[in-house]
Amino acid sequence: MAVAPRRLALWPWLKKTVFRESRVSCFAARGPKEATKSLLRSAFIGDLQSDNAAAGADPREEIVGTAYRRTVIAHGRLRMHELRLAAAREQRHGLQVMTFEQLAARLAGGLSRPVDDEALRIAIKSVLPKTALGELDKIKALPGMADAATETLRKAWRTGIDLQAGASNHPRQRSIAILEEAVLEALPPAMMRPTELVTAGLQRLDHAAAIFGPIDIVGITELSPCWRPLLHAMASRAPVRWIAGPRAVPQWLDGAAIEIVRSEPRQPEVIAVSASTAYHEAIEAFRWARRLIASGRAEPADIAIASASTGDYDDHFLALREDTDLDLHFVHGIKVMASREGQAAAALADILMRGLSQTRMRRLTALLSSYPGPFQALPEGWTRLLPADAPLASSEAWTRLIDGLNAEDWPDETDHGAALGNIITLLAKGTEAAEEVGETLLDGRVLTIWRKALLLGSAASLDITLDTLKQDDRLDASNSICWMPANALAASPRRFARLLGLNSSRWPRGISEDRLLSDHIIPSRELDPLPIAEADRRDFTTILATTENQVVLSRARRESDGRLLGRSALLIQEGPNETFSRRNDIPGHSFSETDRLTARPKEFRAMPQAVAAHGCWRNWLQMEITPHDGSVRAGHPVMRAILDRTQSASSLRLLLRNPLGFVWRYGLHWHAPQSSEDPLVLDALAMGDLVHQTLHQALQKLAGNGGLPLDQEDRIIAAVGDAAAEIAQLWEKERAVPPPLIWRLTLEEARTLCSRALTDHDQPFADALTYSEVPFGGAQPQDEAARPWDANAAVEIPGSGFRIRGYLDRLDISGDGLQALVRDYKTGRAPTDDITLDGGKELQRCLYAFAVKAMLGDEVSISASLMYPREKKDLRLDDPESTLTQITEYLRAARANLRSGGGVPGIDTGGSYDDLAFALPANAAAVYCKRKIAAATERLGAAALVWGAK
């Protein structure tokens, strides 16, 4: 029968319908383009049905007899993609591929559409703060509440539970009913719950055949209870086929007017294997895929890797994919944190949640400098202006830094201080201004990710929310190996499948109660009639029945931390004998170059990198000193350069006790990595800095007009207290400090030590002038205070070839200028015996005494001491001149040794205070250093004698 002509004069009707008062909000919500297309389709089908009815035709029979309109219902994005691709290749015009939810919305007509997860979360987040939820009021502001409410409403709607009717059954159910009512008010009017879509669809069943034509339901093993009445009703108006194939058919289809299409299950080869860990499982999966492709048995599109819990393997596959040339498509998406855009959003969240710091700011700048916005306006390389040792942990510290910069300091010689200051001011607002900060600083996909993270969770939990976000990996599933959830593979089978994670409690997964509606409120079986454990079992059976060639069942024997894992009950029931795969087995087909070289030791051994690594390792194991222990050719330019630099007492100590560390630090400029986290307690070095800065500030206050007022102990203690408060404020702005309670105790300890140091009445002379932090030898002055000499004058140790510079903790000069006392304060424990050089550890007293004598003149009598305020112990140096002679001999020997290429390990190498020990072999102090120390001592010769000096 010929189809009656279509009525094309639709525009007057379209205008009247679109702008009808009841539809205006729906039109705005969906957008004019989509709304117009939907209304045109509805108008065309309605006219077509009317024309056919006028011609005396049965609409159902007419549509069935036409070839241009058919509908396929499928589950999952991958299956729908494959069906559309197949339809395009076969030129099957008029084929519609959709989910059942989309079918219901289409049948409901107009601008109706289902409630999507994003719109539901937006509505929930908007109504939670202003809606009184009774029993749930105490937890509605907690992170995760929006997700829990979304999950609960979804379950209730899929099951068809009327929450309003059961509101009187339990206070919690009443709270959920109130929330549902508020959410429905906040949703666009066109959005409908499943039961509402079904009700609207049942009223338009006469249009079903015209809209959809014959309907095939493909690859689905179950359907939520809310959709079943509509499916049964549609079967009476249009041909409906449930194409189960070898899959199980649900019992509720028995007796329905739906054609069930079955087929015999496949008989694939089933192999069971066990790997050492989940990471090893991922490696074996790649090797298996490579073997199939290399043998010609399969194309990438024929291979699938699946698991019920993909989250356990995502990071492994993502890392391994970068090491191989195989395209592995993540059907369920990859974490946004694996992309540069996601890392940029995470860097911004890190600053807003944990505060400003130089490390975090450098990271954010590196990630955002390529995106339009305030960071791109800053000149390239501006971070070189930041002082390496400044934490910049507050907006005040950044403001002081910016105020001290001039236009010529910037790389492009243009002042960008105002722009950088605006960025810092914005970042200092914290998570409360997360939306404003994102809109101002971000652009493009980074801004899209930021908005979505704020939509899904609170600003206080941005880092957690960002870690859960997924994005498409931009690979085509039709020509890639696919890594997917088990339910996606059950809906879209492939010829070869490998199932991972077949361990107890992982496949099938355990059943858990709903987070808001516990089992005692609404039974779990009623709220979730399709529990995840049953779905996992059903997917496993479906995969075995639909895979054509081979199924590999894989499990891990141990957790990553070594805990034993049990076998899945499914593997016990279905699996054949298990093959034990060892982590160090040589693979038949390697998945990457790294894997291939590991499997071929002879080939790897010939590579330059392997030769160098092997030579280094063998040299470390020898008793002799080798080039890998710091031995270089004599007269090396690096050695000459570091010996000619102006030294300090600390660098000379390092030269005498750890020549290898001296070369690493001053020749190669290696430094220990600095943590950006706030310390729990100050380490010994930081504690010494705090005490020395407090002493300097207190001495500036007390000795500003001359000597220290020793007879006014109360004044000294008060000055120390004021100085400690000022230094504490400075540290809190510029440095990372411990938690408040520990910080208060640390400051109290610093005040005590400083008070003890300054109330020591043991003065060798009266009318003394007191100075603190006195620079010499070219050291930069720390303030504008008066100094007893020219700080830029060079100080050279006679006969050693070394120039020195540094700061004197405290210098007291008698009124007649003929006597001077040099004090160096130590915050640690005092030694039990008197010391002079202490094996080369203690050089400061002698070197500082020599420096003072060189600056003040030979006629001045110099005394030098180490002051330990903790025990109030003052260690005087008895004979500075004799000690200097000894030091000179040791330094001359150390200089000659280093010029000859002997930058070898010393007695302090690998010790507790060697901050470069990370560059040594593992456990160096217990093994490597003990093995090498004899040969190193012999190589150093006279330079090693200092280690035995008292």
Side-chain angles (χ1 to χ4, degrees), residues 274-609:
S274 68
S276 56
T277 61
Y279 180 65
H280 186 205
E281 278 191 282
I283 290 175
E284 291 296 334
F286 265 118
R287 290 171 176 171
W288 167 78
R290 170 74 73 179
R291 182 168 59 251
L292 290 174
I293 296 171
S295 65
R297 295 179 61 191
E299 296 291 332
D302 298 328
I303 301 171
I305 307 170
S307 176
S309 304
T310 55
D312 297 336
Y313 299 88
D314 280 344
D315 291 341
H316 300 324
F317 277 120
L318 195 61
L320 293 172
R321 187 178 71 171
E322 299 301 318
D323 197 28
T324 182
D325 59 352
L326 294 175
D327 285 338
L328 181 71
H329 173 55
F330 285 60
V331 173
H332 52 289
I334 61 174
K335 290 183 177 180
V336 298
M337 298 288 283
S339 65
R340 180 183 179 88
E341 294 83 1
Q343 285 294 315
L348 180 57
D350 192 26
I351 290 180
L352 296 186
M353 297 178 65
R354 296 172 180 84
L356 288 162
S357 75
Q358 182 177 163
T359 303
R360 297 183 185 119
M361 194 65 178
R362 284 180 179 273
R363 177 191 176 199
L364 183 63
T365 300
L367 290 166
L368 288 184
S369 58
S370 59
Y371 294 95
F375 278 94
Q376 195 178 56
L378 297 176
E380 184 178 357
W382 73 269
T383 53
R384 290 194 291 268
L385 300 173
L386 305 180
D389 56 346
L392 300 175
S394 67
S395 59
E396 292 82 3
W398 281 94
T399 301
R400 285 194 297 272
L401 173 69
I402 295 170
D403 291 343
L405 296 176
N406 300 315
E408 56 269 17
D409 296 327
W410 293 85
D412 59 353
E413 297 186 354
T414 302
D415 189 4
H416 296 272
L420 180 58
N422 292 336
I423 293 174
I424 296 300
T425 301
L426 193 61
L427 293 174
K429 294 181 179 181
T431 54
E432 292 78 7
E435 185 173 356
E436 177 190 356
V437 172
E439 296 294 334
T440 305
L441 300 182
L442 305 181
D443 187 74
R445 292 194 67 246
V446 186
L447 180 57
T448 301
I449 292 171
W450 187 260
R451 288 170 175 169
K452 191 169 185 180
L454 290 176
L455 170 66
L456 297 179
S458 66
S461 58
L462 265 172
D463 53 349
I464 300 174
T465 307
L466 285 169
D467 193 48
T468 62
L469 290 182
K470 296 287 187 71
Q471 65 181 4
D472 188 75
D473 64 1
R474 302 180 184 178
L475 291 177
D476 191 348
S478 59
N479 57 11
S480 305
I481 303 168
C482 281
W483 161 239
M484 64 184 81
N487 59 0
L489 180 57
S492 181
R494 294 196 166 194
R495 291 175 53 214
F496 296 87
R498 191 179 185 99
L499 309 184
L500 308 185
L502 282 160
N503 293 100
S504 58
S505 76
R506 296 188 178 181
W507 195 338
R509 290 165 287 181
I511 300 174
S512 60
E513 292 183 330
D514 185 79
R515 287 180 283 180
L516 297 181
L517 291 177
S518 304
D519 187 66
H520 70 279
I521 301 173
I522 298 180
S524 297
R525 192 67 190 180
E526 179 182 344
L527 183 62
D528 188 11
L530 303 176
I532 193 170
E534 291 186 10
D536 285 345
R537 291 178 180 274
R538 191 166 54 248
D539 292 336
F540 180 79
T541 304
T542 299
I543 293 169
L544 289 179
T546 56
T547 304
E548 182 178 345
N549 290 80
Q550 186 184 82
V551 178
V552 180
L553 310 177
S554 173
R555 73 174 183 95
R557 295 187 294 272
R558 291 184 181 271
E559 189 65 87
S560 58
D561 59 2
R563 181 173 58 89
L564 281 172
L565 297 175
R567 301 175 68 191
S568 168
L570 300 174
L571 195 59
I572 295 173
Q573 296 169 6
E574 303 288 346
N577 293 332
E578 187 176 82
T579 301
F580 191 93
S581 177
R582 291 178 174 80
R583 180 67 180 85
N584 58 351
D585 284 346
I586 297 177
H589 285 78
S590 303
F591 73 91
S592 68
E593 182 182 7
T594 303
D595 198 27
R596 175 177 60 82
L597 292 174
T598 305
R600 299 178 181 178
K602 291 183 179 180
E603 181 180 345
F604 176 66
R605 196 176 294 123
M607 295 185 64
Q609 293 170 312

Side-chain angles (χ1 to χ4, degrees), residues 72-377:
V72 174
I73 304 301
H75 168 74
R77 188 174 59 174
L78 175 61
R79 184 56 171 162
M80 296 172 69
H81 170 77
E82 291 178 343
L83 288 170
R84 292 189 180 110
L85 179 62
R89 286 172 174 169
E90 299 168 8
Q91 300 182 7
R92 297 175 62 186
H93 304 294
L95 179 66
Q96 305 176 103
V97 181
M98 60 181 70
T99 64
F100 199 90
E101 189 175 38
Q102 292 168 339
L103 177 142
R106 182 73 184 85
L107 182 60
L111 301 177
S112 302
R113 55 183 173 138
V115 180
D116 59 79
D117 287 340
E118 186 170 340
L120 181 57
R121 283 193 176 92
I122 292 174
I124 289 175
K125 286 194 66 176
S126 66
V127 303
L128 276 177
K130 55 188 179 184
T131 305
L133 298 180
E135 194 178 69
L136 294 178
D137 274 336
K138 295 180 180 179
I139 65 171
K140 68 179 184 181
L142 295 180
M145 178 61 185
D147 284 340
T150 300
E151 181 183 348
T152 300
L153 291 178
R154 281 288 185 203
K155 287 181 180 179
W157 291 349
R158 285 196 302 263
T159 308
I161 295 176
D162 189 346
L163 294 172
Q164 303 301 322
S168 59
N169 296 339
H170 192 278
R172 179 66 58 83
Q173 198 166 346
R174 182 165 53 254
S175 299
I176 299 297
I178 294 172
L179 176 62
E180 180 192 40
E181 185 177 2
V183 166
L184 293 177
E185 286 291 329
L187 288 172
M191 282 191 174
M192 297 184 180
R193 293 173 295 173
T195 52
E196 294 171 337
L197 289 174
V198 169
T199 301
L202 290 175
Q203 296 173 359
R204 290 172 51 86
L205 282 176
D206 292 339
H207 303 292
I211 296 173
F212 303 112
I215 300 173
D216 290 340
I217 300 176
V218 179
I220 296 178
T221 55
E222 260 297 355
L223 196 64
S224 296
C226 62
W227 306 120
R228 295 171 189 173
L230 181 60
L231 177 62
H232 287 298
M234 288 184 63
S236 63
R237 304 300 178 94
V240 177
R241 294 193 303 168
W242 185 283
I243 303 178
R247 299 173 178 84
V249 178
Q251 294 182 356
W252 53 266
L253 282 176
D254 293 344
I258 299 173
E259 180 184 356
I260 308 297
V261 181
R262 304 174 188 265
S263 64
E264 291 296 321
R266 303 281 189 174
Q267 298 296 328
E269 176 189 10
V270 180
I271 302 171
V273 298
S274 68
S276 56
T277 61
Y279 180 65
H280 186 205
E281 278 191 282
I283 290 175
E284 291 296 334
F286 265 118
R287 290 171 176 171
W288 167 78
R290 170 74 73 179
R291 182 168 59 251
L292 290 174
I293 296 171
S295 65
R297 295 179 61 191
E299 296 291 332
D302 298 328
I303 301 171
I305 307 170
S307 176
S309 304
T310 55
D312 297 336
Y313 299 88
D314 280 344
D315 291 341
H316 300 324
F317 277 120
L318 195 61
L320 293 172
R321 187 178 71 171
E322 299 301 318
D323 197 28
T324 182
D325 59 352
L326 294 175
D327 285 338
L328 181 71
H329 173 55
F330 285 60
V331 173
H332 52 289
I334 61 174
K335 290 183 177 180
V336 298
M337 298 288 283
S339 65
R340 180 183 179 88
E341 294 83 1
Q343 285 294 315
L348 180 57
D350 192 26
I351 290 180
L352 296 186
M353 297 178 65
R354 296 172 180 84
L356 288 162
S357 75
Q358 182 177 163
T359 303
R360 297 183 185 119
M361 194 65 178
R362 284 180 179 273
R363 177 191 176 199
L364 183 63
T365 300
L367 290 166
L368 288 184
S369 58
S370 59
Y371 294 95
F375 278 94
Q376 195 178 56

